[in-house]
């Protein structure tokens, strides 16, 4: 016979076991969907801030059913590898710069690299928020990628260890560029020797003299400490650098519809954050570079900028067959840009 106390104990254990068993499937059901979001820049950049905001907003709007893990600074993958990782599903989300999509075969994205094609953010947004922007994102679908949004960074400065004032100053300089044929042509147009390097390798390449100079918005230059190894910066604003936020299509299509809707809303809110902080982050970064007193920041005169533009504009024609004249014309139409009128 089992004593009374033991029976009670036994009953209690059976009940706890039953409760625990009942909880197991629930616990599994509640395991959050993980989105690995890999990027190559620092947290305190427009992209870094927007990615962190997206992680927070996604958790809020899905009530914890989605956990976005942000991996900044090429911690997981460098430029080329991250694109492969996305297609393989090793990460679910990225925000590569628009210059990095052509190697996937979607060469139209290089239109964004055309020098002097956008005067300001308003021009750019007219394109990204309109049919051209949407058409380009759609082209990624056949590569297993869904485009969710465009995020701003900003307009690029040129840097080197010598002042870059006239077009002649670029002659013979080895300039690091992103993997874009348009940027290659742009550097050759001023007599420089372009060299494609991963973003994460740029600081060291500048430091060791593998390359002499580079181009990037000030926020990227400053947060990677490139200014510490570049004595001169020219605020040429000759081209734009921004991002497309992309997800693995299979992953995205497989999400429960309510989760996808919540993430779409989180993305819209994050896009606002990215675009609101971009201008200020770049202004602050440029001020910070100046404040170090170690890098001279040169503001080109109207005449200097005009000559740079004149040297670089032929790239539009040169690259038309690669990008597609149709896409270029669509952009011209939206922005009112006329290459014949300099
Ligand atoms: C670069 O490679 O210079 C940029 O694309 C980095 C970035 O993601 O802003």
């Amino acid at each position: 016979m089992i004593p009374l106390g033991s029976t009670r104990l036994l009953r209690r254990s059976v009940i706890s076991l039953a409760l625990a068993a009942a909880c197991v499937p629930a616990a599994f059901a509640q395991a959050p969907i993980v989105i690995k979001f890999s990027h190559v820049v620092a947290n305190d950049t427009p992209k870094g801030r927007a990615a962190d905001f997206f992680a927070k907003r996604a958790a809020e709007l899905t009530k914890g059913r989605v956990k976005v893990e942000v991996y900044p600074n090429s911690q997981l993958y460098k430029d080329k590898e991250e694109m492969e990782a996305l297609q393989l599903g090793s990460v679910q989300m990225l925000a590569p710069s628009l210059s990095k999509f052509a190697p996937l075969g979607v060469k139209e994205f290089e239109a964004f690299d055309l020098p002097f094609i956008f005067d300001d953010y308003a021009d750019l947004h007219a394109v990204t928020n309109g049919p051209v922007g949407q058409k380009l994102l759609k082209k990624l679908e056949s590569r297993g990628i869904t485009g969710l949004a465009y995020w701003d960074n900003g307009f690029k400065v040129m840097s080197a260890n010598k002042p870059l004032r006239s077009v002649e100053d670029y002659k013979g300089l080895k300039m690091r560029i992103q993997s874009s044929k348009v940027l290659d042509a742009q550097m050759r147009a001023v007599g420089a020797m372009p060299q494609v390097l991963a973003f994460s390798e740029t600081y060291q390449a500048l430091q060791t003299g593998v390359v002499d100079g580079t181009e990037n918005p000030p926020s990227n230059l400053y947060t990677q400490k490139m200014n510490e190894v570049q004595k001169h910066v020219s605020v040429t604003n000759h081209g734009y650098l921004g991002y497309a936020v992309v997800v693995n299509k299979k992953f995205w299509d497989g999400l429960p519809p309510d989760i996808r809707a919540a993430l779409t809303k989180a993305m819209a809110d994050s896009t606002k954050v990215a675009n609101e902080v971009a201008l200020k982050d770049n202004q602050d970064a440029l001020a910070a570079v100046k404040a170090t007193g170690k890098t001279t920041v040169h503001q080109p005169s109207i005449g200097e900028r005009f000559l740079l533009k004149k040297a670089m504009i032929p790239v539009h024609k040169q690259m038309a067959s690669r990008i597609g004249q149709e896409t270029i014309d669509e952009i011209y139409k939206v922005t009112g840009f006329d290459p014949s009128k300099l």
Side-chain angles (χ1 to χ4, degrees):
M1 233 185 91
I2 304 167
L4 197 59
S6 314
T7 320
R8 231 182 258 140
L9 252 178
L10 193 66
R11 205 183 303 138
R12 235 185 260 154
S13 319
V14 169
I15 292 172
S16 326
L17 272 175
L19 276 177
C23 285
V24 170
F28 272 123
Q30 279 162 16
I33 298 166
V34 173
I35 295 181
K36 288 191 176 155
F37 188 158
S38 170
H39 69 80
V40 299
V41 296
N43 294 108
D44 50 348
T45 54
K47 176 161 66 179
R49 287 185 213 285
D52 291 346
F53 181 87
F54 176 72
K56 199 171 106 240
R57 199 73 187 116
E60 275 165 19
L61 292 178
T62 63
K63 303 196 168 46
R65 285 168 68 200
V66 170
K67 185 169 186 284
V68 180
E69 296 173 355
V70 180
Y71 297 92
N73 259 323
S74 310
Q75 238 172 56
L76 278 190
Y77 299 104
K78 297 198 268 185
D79 297 320
K80 197 162 145 293
E81 289 84 1
E82 71 171 15
M83 226 36 131
E84 284 159 12
L86 182 76
Q87 287 180 300
L88 291 171
S90 312
V91 293
Q92 288 69 39
M93 192 174 277
L94 305 175
S97 102
L98 302 169
S99 321
K100 293 175 185 166
F101 287 93
L104 288 181
V106 193
K107 295 173 191 150
E108 290 90 336
F109 272 92
E110 288 185 353
F112 290 102
D113 293 330
L114 287 170
F116 294 96
I117 193 166
F118 304 113
D119 276 343
D120 48 31
Y121 285 106
D123 267 2
L124 187 269
H125 292 158
V127 173
T128 51
N129 295 335
V132 187
Q134 295 320 302
K135 181 184 90 176
L136 294 190
L137 291 184
K138 274 267 164 306
K139 285 190 181 280
L140 297 172
E141 302 263 323
S142 63
R143 307 296 190 278
I145 292 172
T146 300
L148 297 183
Y150 289 98
W151 284 357
D152 278 335
N153 189 331
F155 289 83
K156 294 177 282 187
V157 298
M158 293 279 198
S159 68
N161 279 320
K162 64 182 257 196
L164 299 171
R165 292 199 181 90
S166 71
V167 173
E168 286 68 44
D169 294 332
Y170 292 87
K171 255 194 194 109
L173 286 186
K174 284 177 275 164
M175 298 293 280
R176 179 269 167 175
I177 56 162
Q178 307 175 77
S179 56
S180 153
K181 288 281 184 280
V182 169
L183 297 180
D184 183 286
Q186 170 206 274
M187 289 302 186
R188 289 185 196 281
V190 291
M193 296 186 292
Q195 199 158 320
V196 174
L197 283 175
F199 184 63
S200 57
E201 289 162 5
T202 306
Y203 171 87
Q204 211 190 351
L206 289 168
Q207 189 191 34
T208 55
V210 168
V211 289
D212 304 307
T214 189
E215 57 161 20
N216 235 302
S219 56
N220 276 352
L221 179 96
Y222 181 64
T223 53
Q224 295 297 316
K225 301 190 190 334
M226 291 180 204
N227 56 296
E228 292 180 7
V229 287
Q230 296 278 265
K231 292 199 179 72
H232 294 269
V233 165
S234 278
V235 188
T236 45
N237 291 330
H238 59 282
Y240 171 81
L241 189 154
Y243 310 106
V245 189
V246 290
V247 275
N248 176 290
K249 180 169 161 30
K250 203 162 150 220
F251 168 79
W252 185 249
D253 292 347
L255 288 172
D258 61 326
I259 293 279
R260 211 167 37 236
L263 292 178
T264 302
K265 167 87 178 88
M267 185 51 64
D269 294 348
S270 314
T271 301
K272 273 197 206 118
V273 168
N275 296 359
E276 272 165 20
V277 300
L279 177 65
K280 189 172 179 309
D281 265 9
N282 282 307
Q283 284 169 342
D284 290 352
L286 198 61
V289 170
K290 269 187 206 161
T292 63
K294 290 182 182 148
T295 303
T296 306
V297 176
H298 176 67
Q299 194 71 47
S301 67
I302 293 178
E304 285 168 347
R305 194 161 179 273
F306 172 78
L307 291 174
L308 188 65
K309 186 171 178 177
K310 206 165 156 230
M312 288 181 168
I313 283 292
V315 171
H316 289 222
K317 259 216 182 100
Q318 261 171 43
M319 290 289 124
S321 60
R322 176 175 167 87
I323 297 167
Q325 188 65 51
E326 191 194 316
T327 301
I328 299 179
D329 285 343
E330 281 168 348
I331 295 179
Y332 287 170
K333 199 159 159 223
V334 174
T335 62
F337 181 85
D338 182 349
S340 65
K341 278 196 202 130
L342 270 189

